[in-house]
Amino acid sequence: MENRRLTKIKETVKKLKTDKEKIKYLDACAEDWNTNTKTKVFPDGSTNTTYCNSRFIFKDKEINEIYSSASRSVLIEEKARELDVSLELAELWLKAFEMEQQEKRELEKEKRKLRISAASNIPLKNVDRERDDILKRARDKCFDIARLNDWKYFITVTFKGSKFEFDDPEVVMKKIRSYLMHKVQRNGMKYLLIPERHKKGGIHCHALVNDIDVVDSGTVLVEGYPKPIKRETALKRGSTIKQTVYNIPSWKYGFSTAIEIDNSTAFAYYVTKYITKGNKKIFGKYYWSSRNCIREPQIIYHNSDFDHITRSEFCKGQNKYKYNSNNLIIPDFDKLADRFDDISSFLDYIYSDEYKKEYEKYEQTKLSNDFNF
């Protein structure tokens, strides 16, 4: 629920007639809509909260858009008077100025790459072009979409044909896009899809979907084994069956598997792990999601006493942050992600004694910090 003060600010600023009045009012109450704490609330009631030592780091999105728009309009008016030109010409001047600033930022990026290349003694073409914060935003957004929507199956689809065909993003993209559009339009399917390259170069896709046509493949996932095996084999061995593995009859472009989702947060972690520095934007984006997906969690902006938040501290730029969540926690997930090349092994970990011990250690550390004021 949005706090009453923010609601009041939005109601008041929308009644103001001029941009200068809006700026003056929002400047006066800046501490109420510029906060140091942001809490994401998911449909099941779980939350992710980020704290910062800077009071003005998190801004209410709607109010900030109003403030930015008003500030831009006032700047254009002032520049029009200063240059004695029309508002249209002043706006063109501002656009040119913004383009110049963007070019300077791009130049700084190139200089940064050159510095990294020289310091690391590696070819410039091999310098990672993706900034860590861009990658993190993509992963965070993918995780949010995964947590905000109801999913029924985790699917994997491959592409048959010559090596040239399944290695070419354009060829693969046309096939998967056509299939997904048909499913969305005809069946109302929701999807969150991440493409991945095989070690040999071919492309396959992982996705969360709310519904899709499936048939029993006759195979199952069992504890302690990474790949599906025949049900009869599992029963003969006395293996513990975890999941039935299905095939997707409507997928005609290659092989397909689907398993039912029994732990939505665990699967959200798993699909997000594919967004890494080593896995580039194969289809021009790190992930695809259908337009009918819920994308934005409820966000509550508020202020907290950063020094009294008993969580581990990390730095980003000049600011310090702390993080807390009551979602399923996987300690050091980024370090663990490389261990899991298949969903079966990942689920084994989630339900293993190893995970219980790591989680208990995490909880004990958190608990001891809670009493360490």
Side-chain angles (χ1 to χ4, degrees):
M1 179 182 294
E2 183 176 88
N3 69 56
R4 294 179 181 177
R5 179 59 178 157
L6 280 182
T7 302
K8 180 66 176 177
I9 291 172
K10 291 177 183 180
E11 291 174 349
T12 301
V13 76
K14 288 176 182 178
K15 293 177 182 178
L16 299 176
K17 295 181 178 181
T18 69
D19 290 319
K20 286 187 176 181
E21 288 176 327
K22 292 175 183 178
I23 294 171
K24 183 178 180 180
Y25 172 72
L26 292 177
D27 280 340
C29 59
E31 290 191 2
D32 292 311
W33 61 276
N34 293 267
T35 66
N36 77 333
T37 306
K38 179 175 73 172
T39 298
K40 292 181 179 181
V41 184
F42 296 98
D44 62 0
S46 60
T47 59
N48 290 346
T49 301
T50 304
Y51 309 89
C52 183
N53 65 330
S54 172
R55 180 65 183 258
F56 297 98
I57 197 70
F58 300 119
K59 304 175 186 293
D60 180 89
K61 187 175 180 180
E62 184 179 352
I63 295 177
N64 191 49
E65 286 177 354
I66 294 172
Y67 187 85
S68 298
S69 177
S71 298
R72 197 172 194 280
S73 296
V74 169
L75 180 60
I76 290 172
E77 290 175 5
E78 290 176 348
K79 186 56 62 175
R81 285 196 297 271
E82 178 187 334
L83 301 176
D84 192 22
V85 296
S86 67
L87 290 176
E88 289 77 11
L89 286 176
E91 186 173 5
L92 287 174
W93 169 89
L94 181 57
K95 288 180 179 179
F97 175 77
E98 290 170 342
M99 288 177 64
E100 181 183 350
Q101 295 302 305
Q102 179 62 30
E103 289 174 358
K104 287 182 179 179
R105 287 191 290 269
E106 292 297 328
L107 181 60
E108 285 302 316
K109 287 182 183 179
E110 293 301 318
K111 289 181 179 178
R112 173 179 170 271
K113 282 185 244 177
L114 286 170
R115 290 195 297 269
I116 294 173
S117 176
S120 307
N121 196 28
I122 58 176
L124 182 61
K125 65 180 181 180
N126 293 336
V127 175
D128 185 10
R129 297 188 178 186
E130 294 295 339
R131 292 174 58 191
D132 288 343
D133 56 345
I134 295 175
L135 194 67
K136 184 181 183 304
R137 282 199 297 272
R139 293 184 70 172
D140 287 349
K141 190 64 179 178
C142 182
F143 184 84
D144 285 351
I145 296 173
R147 288 288 289 112
L148 287 167
N149 295 272
D150 292 326
W151 309 108
K152 189 172 183 180
Y153 296 107
F154 170 77
I155 71 172
T156 300
V157 294
T158 65
F159 301 86
K160 62 186 178 183
S162 68
K163 183 181 185 303
F164 172 77
E165 288 180 326
F166 65 71
D167 192 38
D168 186 340
E170 291 298 324
V171 174
V172 171
M173 188 165 57
K174 288 179 181 178
K175 292 180 178 180
I176 191 69
R177 178 179 286 158
S178 173
Y179 179 80
L180 293 173
M181 286 179 62
H182 176 81
K183 285 294 182 182
V184 171
Q185 293 171 359
R186 295 292 183 89
N187 306 111
M189 187 180 80
K190 290 184 180 182
Y191 64 83
L192 172 61
L193 177 140
I194 301 176
E196 182 191 17
R197 282 196 180 275
H198 294 288
K199 293 179 181 178
K200 294 182 179 180
I203 299 171
H204 63 278
C205 298
H206 304 282
L208 303 177
V209 298
N210 65 329
D211 201 10
I212 203 167
D213 56 303
V214 297
V215 294
D216 193 330
S217 69
T219 63
V220 292
L221 294 179
V222 299
E223 285 187 6
Y225 195 73
K227 296 181 180 180
I229 63 174
K230 290 184 178 180
R231 189 184 302 276
E232 294 80 2
T233 303
L235 294 174
K236 286 179 181 179
R237 293 178 180 176
S239 302
T240 301
I241 296 176
K242 296 184 301 186
Q243 292 267 15
T244 296
V245 179
Y246 300 95
N247 294 136
I248 305 169
S250 60
W251 180 254
K252 307 296 185 182
Y253 300 114
F255 185 67
S256 65
T257 61
I259 60 173
E260 290 188 90
I261 292 174
D262 60 354
N263 185 324
S264 61
T265 309
F267 278 86
Y269 272 114
Y270 187 76
V271 296
T272 303
K273 95 180 187 73
Y274 289 107
I275 300 178
T276 65
K277 289 182 180 179
N279 205 27
K280 302 298 182 182
K281 299 177 182 179
I282 297 172
F283 294 161
K285 296 181 179 180
Y286 283 113
Y287 64 89
W288 281 2
S289 59
S290 54
R291 293 181 180 179
N292 54 358
C293 284
I294 302 171
R295 298 175 182 279
E296 299 290 342
Q298 179 189 3
I299 296 180
I300 300 175
Y301 296 95
H302 51 111
N303 285 300
S304 305
D305 186 339
F306 182 82
D307 293 333
H308 282 79
I309 302 298
T310 54
R311 294 295 179 268
S312 298
E313 189 177 288
F314 61 95
C315 295
K316 180 182 175 185
Q318 297 180 343
N319 294 319
K320 297 178 181 179
Y321 293 87
K322 295 177 182 179
Y323 181 78
N324 188 33
S325 173
N326 61 4
N327 272 292
L328 167 72
I329 298 294
I330 302 182
D332 294 324
F333 177 71
D334 287 342
K335 296 178 182 179
L336 286 168
D338 291 339
R339 284 171 40 186
F340 307 112
D341 291 328
D342 58 90
I343 189 65
S344 183
S345 299
F346 181 67
L347 293 176
D348 276 349
Y349 167 74
I350 290 296
Y351 298 112
S352 69
D353 290 336
E354 177 189 3
Y355 170 73
K356 290 177 182 177
K357 290 178 182 178
E358 290 180 359
Y359 182 73
E360 286 171 1
K361 182 180 178 181
Y362 168 83
E363 283 292 301
Q364 288 170 1
T365 302
K366 188 172 74 170
L367 186 62
S368 66
N369 287 338
D370 287 343
F371 292 98
N372 213 4
F373 289 93

